[in-house]
């Protein structure tokens, strides 16, 4: 096992002396509820789900989930619900090696035994230099890169290839990668003497923005080698991961390329240019399910919805059944079943031909794998919008992140279907509410309460798919599909 690790050491309270180790991306939930990683049932000063820590190798973040009595880091109160009416919890805070966290009668120390690397050049930063090299959100810049003020670096020998983020762009990139990516592409062209030219990516031109995601922009583009119109999903790398971790992301791209089903977007190729990772996909002209819902403002009528629901489930059933070849450090091996991990209306694309619309699932595992490789800040620390993941997220995405499986996809596609049919999310969205708190504390609503024309049997199927306890759900997309076919 890799010797590098993160661990939480409990130094005060009923569990003093215990340690919790993390060797890969994971979460650590603290509270009174039984599904917390550290469940402290007897401490009434804690909220049911008080806080969680997101571990992404050396990048470790803490987030208070809108608790009543707050959380202290190194003695400083990072949130106090009594002062703010339980609303507007602050964003995730970066943790450092040796930080002390006090919550109720429990105290813990965070230990980070991973080396830190420069976000610009990837060089490892010595332990004694870490404090002076700290940048933002738990990231670091080495002295050599910190001394460089050039916003766009284009060495003579790489004049057509090299672009680089400025300090200001680094600060923006985690929260608004799409904006920074567009700036970088324009600055690259400016350095090439093409002032005012439209953005380009190596191998693609005539870029037209189709949408923005958590890590970059999706473009409609013309492939230079043959003129074919394709979609290019870009993800801006804001941190320099270790080569071994980046290979995990490459493996996910390898898996996606093997998926071949009429209800899953086909990905023909993938690559990286500078710090911009891109995946080429079939261009789908009909937009997304989120677009059909007018950004969540309207529900989809049953006549239109039923065939799309069955097609989404057909795609998911195939993904959960398919056998793919995976490259590991020990060679190639076979793996059965692919978990999406981020199903939502914006990841359901609609292929329109004449008067027919075909639903196609997109983005299988790629966004989560990108974050897990350490290429960006964190995955779970992003709150998103109403279209963002927390609205559709299954509870175990926070309480048991490392082991999410096909039943998690079942919940998240069911939550997508609920929004599609009801015109509102499966859990109530309250202004100012901490979005992740609702994931673990709000029970899913019943579809029959929001549809006057709810078909017989649909509510029972949806209740099963949306069960809070994953053991009570359909185990995979195939079971969900078979159950839904008894209704429609």
């Amino acid at each position: 096992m890799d010797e590098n690790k993160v661990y939480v050491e409990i130094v005060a309270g009923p569990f003093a002396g215990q340690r919790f180790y993390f060797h890969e991306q994971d979460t650590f939930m603290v509270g009174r509820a039984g599904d917390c990683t550290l469940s402290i049932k007897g401490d009434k000063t804690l909220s049911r789900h008080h806080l969680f820590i997101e571990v992404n190798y050396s990048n470790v973040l803490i987030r208070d989930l809108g608790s009543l009595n707050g959380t202290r880091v190194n003695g400083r109160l990072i949130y106090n619900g009594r002062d703010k009416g339980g609303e507007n919890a602050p964003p995730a805070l970066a943790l450092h090696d040796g930080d002390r966290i006090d919550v109720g009668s429990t105290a813990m120390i965070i230990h980070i035994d991973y080396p830190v690397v420069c976000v610009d050049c990837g060089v490892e930063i010595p332990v004694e230099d870490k404090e002076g090299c700290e940048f933002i959100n738990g990231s670091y810049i080495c002295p050599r890169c910190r001394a460089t003020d050039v916003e766009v670096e284009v060495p003579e020998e790489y004049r057509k290839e090299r672009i680089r983020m400025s300090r200001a762009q680094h600060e923006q990139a985690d929260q608004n990668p799409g904006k920074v990516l567009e700036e970088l592409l324009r600055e690259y062209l400016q350095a090439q003497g093409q002032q005012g030219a439209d953005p380009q990516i190596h191998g693609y031109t005539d870029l037209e923005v189709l949408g923005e995601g958590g890590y970059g922009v999706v473009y409609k583009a013309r492939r230079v080698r043959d003129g074919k119109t394709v979609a290019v999903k870009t993800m801006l790398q804001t941190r320099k991961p270790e080569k071994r971790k980046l290979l995990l992301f490459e493996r996910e791209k390898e898996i996606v390329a093997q998926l071949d089903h009429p209800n899953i977007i086909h990905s023909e190729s993938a690559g990286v240019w500078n710090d911009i990772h891109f995946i080429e996909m079939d261009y789908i002209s009909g937009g997304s399910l989120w677009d059909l819902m007018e950004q969540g403002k309207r529900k989809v009528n049953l006549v239109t919805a039923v065939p799309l629901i069955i097609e989404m489930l057909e795609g998911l059933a195939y993904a959960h059944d398919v056998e793919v070849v995976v490259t590991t450090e020990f060679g190639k091996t076979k793996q059965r079943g692919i978990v999406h991990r981020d199903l939502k209306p914006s990841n359901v694309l609609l292929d329109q031909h004449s008067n027919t619309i075909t639903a196609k699932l997109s983005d299988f595992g790629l966004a989560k794998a990108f974050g897990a490789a350490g290429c960006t800040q964190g995955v779970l620390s992003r709150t998103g919008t109403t279209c963002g993941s927390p609205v559709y997220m299954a509870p175990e995405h926070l309480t048991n992140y490392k082991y999410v499986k096909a039943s998690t996809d079942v919940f998240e596609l069911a939550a997508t279907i609920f929004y599609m049919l009801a015109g509102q999310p499966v859990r109530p969205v309250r202004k100012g509410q901490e979005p992740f708190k609702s994931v673990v504390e709000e029970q899913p609503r019943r579809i029959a309460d929001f549809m006057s024309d709810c078909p017989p049997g649909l509510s029972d199927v949806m209740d099963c798919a949306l069960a809070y306890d994953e053991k009570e759900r359909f185990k995979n997309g195939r079971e969900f599909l078979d159950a839904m076919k008894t209704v429609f």
Side-chain angles (χ1 to χ4, degrees), residues 248-264:
L248 297 175
F249 178 54
E250 296 300 319
R251 189 177 73 181
E252 291 294 330
K253 290 194 286 189
E254 175 189 35
I255 291 171
V256 169
Q258 297 175 62
L259 300 181
D260 185 15
H261 189 273
N263 299 120
I264 293 178

Side-chain angles (χ1 to χ4, degrees), residues 347-371:
N347 279 337
V348 179
L349 302 186
L350 305 177
D351 196 7
Q352 222 161 355
H353 290 289
S354 299
N355 295 322
T356 62
I357 303 176
T358 303
K360 293 177 179 280
L361 304 180
S362 70
D363 201 17
F364 263 88
L366 289 173
K368 298 291 183 183
F370 185 67

Side-chain angles (χ1 to χ4, degrees), residues 392-409:
Y392 312 94
M393 195 177 278
E396 65 272 13
H397 232 133
L398 297 183
T399 59
N400 197 22
Y401 177 82
K402 191 165 65 173
Y403 299 106
V404 297
K405 43 188 181 287
S407 57
T408 301
D409 280 350

Side-chain angles (χ1 to χ4, degrees), residues 10-37:
I10 312 301
V11 296
F15 294 93
Q18 287 196 23
R19 292 182 175 184
F20 297 82
Y21 288 85
F22 309 92
H23 293 271
E24 57 187 296
Q25 188 185 28
D26 207 346
T27 58
F28 179 76
M29 183 84 72
V30 179
R32 289 186 291 109
D35 57 358
C36 291
T37 321

Side-chain angles (χ1 to χ4, degrees), residues 109-331:
I109 304 292
I110 187 79
H111 298 270
I112 303 174
D113 287 349
Y114 280 99
V116 297
V117 298
C118 175
V119 293
D120 268 5
C121 67
V123 68
E124 186 174 328
I125 295 173
V127 174
E128 60 270 20
D129 294 339
K130 279 175 60 176
E131 186 174 348
C133 293
E134 186 174 356
F135 184 37
I136 54 166
N137 299 328
S139 65
Y140 297 81
I141 295 179
C142 71
R144 179 177 176 275
C145 291
R146 188 175 287 275
T148 303
D149 294 322
V150 180
E151 293 195 359
V152 182
E153 183 180 300
V154 189
E156 186 65 34
E157 64 271 29
Y158 299 114
R159 186 166 292 278
K160 294 185 178 180
E161 298 297 329
R162 189 65 56 87
I163 59 177
R164 178 181 172 183
M165 275 189 283
S166 68
R167 301 288 85 75
Q169 288 168 330
H170 261 301
E171 292 186 27
Q172 296 179 54
D174 278 324
Q175 298 304 319
N176 197 341
K179 181 176 183 293
V180 173
L181 190 145
E182 291 265 291
E183 288 176 359
L184 287 173
L185 296 180
R186 286 192 170 86
E187 288 171 359
Y188 163 72
L189 290 173
Q190 181 179 341
Q192 298 297 303
Q194 301 180 52
Q195 181 78 27
D198 291 331
Q200 298 175 31
I201 295 175
H202 188 63
Y204 303 91
T205 188
D206 298 340
L207 302 188
E208 177 185 326
V209 176
L210 295 176
E212 292 192 23
Y215 302 104
V217 182
V218 181
Y219 296 99
K220 176 183 177 182
R222 180 172 62 84
R223 192 165 62 193
V224 172
R225 63 182 169 85
D226 61 4
K228 180 181 177 181
T229 299
V230 296
V232 179
K233 181 182 181 68
T234 61
M235 289 174 277
L236 180 62
Q237 179 180 313
T238 63
R239 285 163 168 75
K240 296 289 185 184
E242 294 177 20
K243 185 176 292 186
R244 179 179 61 84
K245 294 164 190 164
L246 196 55
L247 286 175
L248 297 175
F249 178 54
E250 296 300 319
R251 189 177 73 181
E252 291 294 330
K253 290 194 286 189
E254 175 189 35
I255 291 171
V256 169
Q258 297 175 62
L259 300 181
D260 185 15
H261 189 273
N263 299 120
I264 293 178
I265 293 293
H266 178 62
S267 175
E268 189 167 320
S269 64
V272 59
W273 179 61
N274 295 287
D275 290 332
I276 301 170
H277 293 259
F278 60 88
I279 298 97
E280 179 192 303
M281 304 177 294
D282 288 337
Y283 170 64
I284 304 300
S285 61
S288 69
L289 177 58
W290 188 240
D291 296 326
L292 182 66
M293 295 162 60
E294 294 179 4
Q295 318 303 311
K297 294 176 184 175
R298 75 176 184 92
K299 57 186 179 182
V300 181
N301 65 68
L302 273 174
V303 174
T304 303
V306 169
L308 297 181
I309 290 169
I310 297 300
E311 287 166 354
M312 288 188 283
L313 288 170
E314 291 278 8
L316 190 64
Y318 164 84
H320 289 168
D321 292 342
V322 70
E323 187 176 83
V324 295
V325 176
V326 181
T327 302
T328 70
E329 57 184 314
F330 305 108

